[in-house]
Amino acid sequence: MKLSGLFDRRVRGFRVVELGGLGVLLALVLAVYLSKAGAGGERADIDHVQQQIGDEQTRIRLLQAEVASLEQPERLEALSSQYLDLQPIPAKHEVQPDELPDLALIQRVAKGAATPAVRTAPQTATNPLTEPAAPDGARPREGR
């Protein structure tokens, strides 16, 4: 059978080429329909996620406004006075950062320690890393 015979051959009044073209056309239509239906579902999912994002952004703004109202200095001052019996620090008790060493020295002198105490490790005659500790009443081993 020749290739040109394929174009002339008929099945129930239709040429085979026409039936093949119709099959390809139906397959393309079906593929386009399925892809559009899938894209519509994806679009609905995207819209849903965008709605969730908008809701979360609204909630974030509400929470930020609530934090701002809770952190108002006047409100905190009133609460500290009411529940903790705290008052604001008077200006005469505030110091600059460069005055802190002098303040620490004044406090040490007031406690009786004019010079800073330096802690040193206790001096021992034996090296605890090389000689094992002897139990009470026993003498350490000599000459290893």
Side-chain angles (χ1 to χ4, degrees):
M1 185 154 113
K2 294 182 179 179
L3 189 60
S4 63
L6 185 64
F7 291 112
D8 292 333
R9 187 163 182 217
R10 294 185 177 262
V11 175
R12 293 188 180 192
F14 296 102
R15 289 189 286 182
V16 174
V17 172
E18 291 173 351
L19 292 177
L22 182 63
V24 169
L25 181 65
L26 289 176
L28 286 174
V29 167
L30 182 64
V32 168
Y33 173 76
L34 291 176
S35 65
K36 285 188 68 95
E42 292 293 322
R43 184 68 205 160
D45 291 343
I46 290 171
D47 290 340
H48 179 69
V49 169
Q50 285 179 340
Q51 179 65 37
Q52 286 179 337
I53 290 170
D55 293 343
E56 291 298 322
Q57 287 174 342
T58 302
R59 181 156 166 74
I60 287 170
R61 284 192 299 273
L62 287 173
L63 290 173
Q64 286 173 340
E66 184 177 352
V67 166
S69 69
L70 291 175
E71 290 180 344
Q72 289 178 349
E74 296 83 18
R75 179 184 173 278
L76 294 176
E77 186 176 329
L79 289 175
S80 67
S81 297
Q82 181 180 359
Y83 293 109
L84 302 175
D85 197 30
L86 297 176
Q87 300 298 323
I89 297 174
K92 68 179 182 177
H93 289 289
E94 292 183 11
V95 293
Q96 298 298 322
D98 56 345
E99 297 172 358
L100 288 177
D102 298 334
L103 184 62
L105 180 63
I106 292 169
Q107 286 181 349
R108 267 195 306 237
V109 170
K111 290 182 180 179
T115 58
V118 177
R119 289 191 167 187
T120 59
Q123 300 295 326
T124 59
T126 60
N127 187 348
L129 296 177
T130 58
E131 297 180 16
D136 290 340
R139 286 191 280 168
R141 294 186 211 162
E142 293 183 19
R144 282 193 146 183

